[in-house]
Amino acid sequence: MKTLKDHEIPGRVTIFSGKGDLPAMRVETEWSTAEIYQHGAHITGFQKKGGIPLLFMSGASDFHHGKPIRGGVPVIFPWFGGREGMAAHGFARLADWDLVETLAPSDGSVRLHFRLPVEDEFEVDYIVTVAATLTMELTVTNTGAADFSFETCLHTYFQIGVIENIEVAGLQGVRYRDELLGEDFTEAGATIRFTAETDRVYQDSAGTVEIRDPQLQRTILVSKSGSKSTVVWNPWIEKSIRMPDFGDDEYHHMVCVESGNVGEHAITLAPGEQSSLKVEIDSLPL
Ligand code: TA6
């Protein structure tokens, strides 16, 4: 079995001891840099050279086994949300994933292949590709003899100038469950603006979502395949205060646009079947 260090690629992939002395990978390409922790196969950083980070990280995040990292891209599997007596959002983000392979193809990108260590009858592979954009692909395979059902979501935190000034586009006409009201609505507006805690699960949303940020003078593009659910979340002040691993005023500078298959779009795989969720994030000048 290779050690993490064996996966280093000079000038491309460096293994280092990150926060909380957790093992991490620093990735460098001609266009961008990224940072990924083995804990949760958690991407904690992605930015284009000369640009502002695209991902938000909480300054109060934990970096300990048994605790999720707050910010970046939490990998949510095999359930979304709370479960009585179980870890919220599943166990994948709490596991130390195996680093199967690192590659630096001739196109200048860097590709990291992680696998969730499980004894159960499914396999979870996560391929992170760092280039001018960041691509994440989560593939679940049913290796057992019975059907296997699960939810999954790449719960991405985006860095923004200030929440009151951004708008999210691409969800017009899509129905959503307002998790705070427990009611269903249809998105009427061409854009979503934020004036309070927002926690919405949009279903049948397959298109690209844009985060338009006049303060940082950029539009973040979240495009995806194999995903029917999009979650839009900002905790606002009261929930921020209740979260010990999140600064009271950090809600001003982040928004989550999460791509997955949750609730009615949970996936059931027959034996031998496979399902992939792919998300690409990019940014353009606004
Ligand atoms: O994606 C939105 C959400 O389900 C919110 O309800 C909020 O709980 C958020 O996830 C963060 O959950 P976490 O378990 O990471 O604190």
Side-chain angles (χ1 to χ4, degrees), residues 68 70 80-81 88-89 93 155 157 199 231 233 239 243 258:
R70 175 72 66 191
F80 181 86
H89 285 329
R93 65 176 180 171
H155 191 301
Y157 289 68
D199 191 349
V231 182
W233 178 59
K239 181 144 192 177
M243 297 195 300
E258 312 160 29

Side-chain angles (χ1 to χ4, degrees), residues 245-260:
D245 59 346
F246 190 82
D248 292 357
D249 63 359
E250 287 188 318
Y251 73 96
H252 284 291
H253 308 296
M254 54 69 67
V255 66
C256 281
V257 173
E258 312 160 29
S259 311

Side-chain angles (χ1 to χ4, degrees), residues 80-145:
F80 181 86
R83 275 257 171 115
E84 191 59 40
M86 315 271 269
H89 285 329
F91 52 77
R93 65 176 180 171
L94 300 177
D96 286 351
W97 290 56
D98 294 332
L99 180 56
V100 176
E101 184 178 44
T102 53
L103 288 172
S106 57
D107 65 3
S109 66
V110 174
R111 187 176 178 276
L112 303 99
H113 176 186
F114 296 91
R115 179 168 290 150
L116 180 65
V118 289
E119 273 80 47
D120 297 350
E121 302 196 322
F122 54 81
E123 216 162 68
V124 187
D125 290 283
Y126 186 43
I127 308 284
V128 175
T129 303
V130 182
T133 65
L134 175 68
T135 303
M136 301 158 282
E137 185 168 18
L138 193 70
T139 300
V140 181
T141 306
N142 182 348
T143 56

Side-chain angles (χ1 to χ4, degrees), residues 18 24 37 44 51 53 62 66 112 127-128 139 142 210-211 214 233 273 279:
Y37 277 73
T44 51
D62 291 305
L112 303 99
I127 308 284
V128 175
T139 300
N142 182 348
E210 294 186 4
I211 303 168
W233 178 59
E273 278 191 331
V279 177

Side-chain angles (χ1 to χ4, degrees), residues 230-243:
T230 297
V231 182
V232 176
W233 178 59
N234 182 281
W236 220 253
I237 182 68
E238 296 309 322
K239 181 144 192 177
S240 296
I241 291 171
R242 295 198 304 270
M243 297 195 300

